[in-house]
Amino acid sequence: MIKFNYKFADRMIVGSDNGLDIEKEFKSYKNKIADIIKDLNQRKDKPEQWLQWMNLGYNEETVWYVKEFASMVRGRYDNVLILGIGGSALGGIAVTEALLAPYWNMLTPEQRNGYPRIFFLDNIDPDTINGLLKVLDLKRTLVNVITKSGSTAETMSQYMIIKNLMEQELGDAYRQNIVATTDKKVGVLRQLADQEGYKTFVVPDDVGGRFSVFSAVGLLPFALVGIDIDEIMNGIKDMDLALKNTDIHENIAAQAALIHYLMDTKKGKNLSVMMPYSSRLKFVSDWFVQLWAESLGKEVDKNGKKVHVGPTPIKALGATDQHSQIQLYNEGPNDKLITFIRVEEFDTNLEIPRILEYTGIGYLGGKSINNLINAEADSTRVALSDYKKPTLTISIPKVDGYNVAQLLYMLEVQTAIAGELYNINTFNQPGVEQAKNYTYALMGRSGYEESAKVLQNKMAEVG
Ligand code: PA5
């Protein structure tokens, strides 16, 4: 199991201005936390609670269909291309970057064991899209278009470009090269998929994009490139079981949620940094930033009162950002709670040769890079505590499917519990809608004429 250490956020280490009396807080929030955990687990099967993601670890049917499709297309494609944005892409990127061999797309087919390369087109930069299209042979590419709503402009514009090109190259047969992951009934993509006869997978009801990584949204891409999805499911189930424990002393997601909440509301730590000491986990931070920001950044609470809450998430990478952000974290304002992710055992070992012994770097010889990266994590944590800066540490035994699934699922539960502590709706994102509507208006979508006028007036005012 992954472990969680909060000692460096305690007032005994960082002083009472910046640290919490964690044991005392655990005692005083014991009942509230127990109630939150019970409530989440009771509501998770009810419709419109947006808690179906808590059941995804048990969705054997999806696993079966995903595996069946992945084995059917095995060997048929050189590339998998994922079209999607936000919650429809970030989980896939985080997990494939963590679990596939580093530089996967540069390996030979033999080194990839015959599995395809994987690309995520998660933005709409024309140069990048054109660049990727030059690299891919569309005849040998399986496109998985992922959008829960089925109408997201970024994803659907990519789809229109690629569908058009594929049809030109492949004729009617292009349909076999497209798989759609979307809502089971509604949305433009659902209609198109039904009309065109695409293979489809479902984003289940009551699973929001940012909580969808363990639905077909993530599982299909994972299986297509040979990631063991059973291992992932086992990780989620074991973590889910552990996090059903209503005792805060035994529940690491509840501990992390409460500490974040209190650090923000009592100690002014409204910036939340995620800093894995592992390049393979770098994109877990991107995924977490979206999860934390869209879930907790809210204008109103559940009673409709204006609250404007939400700690701002920041991504950092150890050891790289020791040479970038740590100066600010050590000496700058004491407004952050930093979470380190530490990997106990790397897949490989890399010794530093005993050379250059009589130079200033001779001390490195005979040690390993493995020692060095974890020594840097430890020393940064201690240095931050010298500056009275609170930190948390999540330790993961290995970067494998079981542990990465545990980590992501723990962070999802942590987010849900934090949302309850802030008393906000964790699962909506009204703040995203306004800009989306203006974009529709600017691009001439019918029904958005009024928004277009408002927008044009505002733009005219500022020039
Ligand atoms: O978490 C969310 O709900 C969002 O980030 C969505 O995933 C994102 O906006 C993409 O939406 P869709 O999957 O409908 O294309």
Side-chain angles (χ1 to χ4, degrees), residues 277-436:
Y277 272 73
S278 154
S279 296
R280 292 170 66 191
L281 297 179
K282 179 176 178 182
F283 292 93
V284 168
S285 301
D286 284 51
W287 170 84
F288 176 73
V289 162
Q290 188 222 6
L291 181 73
W292 203 238
E294 270 192 359
S295 300
L296 301 182
K298 297 290 151 77
E299 183 176 26
V300 292
D301 70 8
K302 284 187 186 170
N303 308 317
K305 189 176 149 217
K306 292 223 174 191
V307 284
H308 296 285
V309 293
T312 301
I314 297 170
K315 53 192 182 184
L317 177 68
T320 307
D321 280 307
Q322 286 178 202
H323 302 270
S324 160
Q325 302 185 41
I326 287 293
Q327 166 63 29
L328 169 74
Y329 295 175
N330 273 333
E331 293 195 352
N334 204 336
D335 52 3
K336 296 168 200 70
L337 176 60
I338 301 168
T339 302
F340 292 113
I341 304 178
R342 197 179 191 285
V343 175
E344 296 307 335
E345 194 191 325
F346 289 84
D347 280 4
T348 56
N349 197 46
L350 187 55
E351 295 292 330
I352 306 167
R354 271 184 210 281
I355 55 171
L356 306 171
E357 278 175 63
Y358 304 107
T359 70
I361 53 172
Y363 71 96
L364 292 168
K367 315 280 171 28
S368 71
I369 290 282
N370 306 49
N371 298 141
L372 182 61
I373 192 163
N374 280 337
E376 295 206 11
D378 290 340
S379 23
T380 303
R381 184 160 70 141
V382 172
L384 280 158
S385 77
D386 290 344
Y387 285 98
K388 306 291 176 211
K389 304 292 165 70
T391 61
L392 302 170
T393 302
I394 298 172
S395 303
I396 111 161
K398 262 174 96 52
V399 180
D400 60 16
Y402 181 79
N403 288 298
V404 169
Q406 287 209 346
L407 174 66
L408 266 54
Y409 188 74
M410 176 216 158
L411 293 169
E412 287 180 339
V413 176
Q414 170 186 320
T415 306
I417 297 175
E420 294 305 308
L421 290 165
Y422 283 105
N423 191 34
I424 44 102
N425 182 342
T426 312
F427 304 105
N428 66 2
Q429 51 282 325
V432 181
E433 298 308 317
Q434 188 66 338
K436 265 195 191 175

Side-chain angles (χ1 to χ4, degrees), residues 7 31 74 168 184 211 295 301 306 353 402 411 413 439:
K7 295 276 161 53
N31 293 338
R74 176 107 159 90
Q168 285 166 16
K184 69 175 182 297
F211 288 86
S295 300
D301 70 8
K306 292 223 174 191
Y402 181 79
L411 293 169
V413 176
T439 306

Side-chain angles (χ1 to χ4, degrees), residues 15-69:
S16 39
D17 284 349
N18 300 298
L20 299 164
D21 184 341
I22 292 179
E23 202 40 52
K24 192 170 141 226
E25 300 290 5
F26 280 3
K27 280 199 187 107
S28 62
Y29 276 85
K30 194 172 165 48
N31 293 338
K32 187 170 175 73
I33 289 289
D35 288 346
I36 289 174
I37 296 168
K38 269 187 236 152
D39 176 60
L40 289 172
N41 280 289
Q42 273 162 10
R43 283 196 287 131
K44 77 182 167 60
D45 297 317
K46 298 193 180 138
E48 288 172 31
Q49 298 296 313
W50 294 90
L51 289 167
Q52 274 298 326
W53 55 271
M54 295 177 80
N55 292 323
L56 293 176
Y58 305 91
N59 194 344
E60 295 304 330
E61 203 185 328
T62 300
V63 170
W64 192 89
Y65 281 117
V66 160
K67 278 192 199 165
E68 193 210 24
F69 180 75

Side-chain angles (χ1 to χ4, degrees), residues 85-88 146-150 152 155 208-210 290 294 429 436:
I85 198 162
S88 291
I146 308 177
T147 160
K148 182 176 172 65
S149 62
T152 300
T155 306
R210 55 191 176 275
Q290 188 222 6
E294 270 192 359
Q429 51 282 325
K436 265 195 191 175

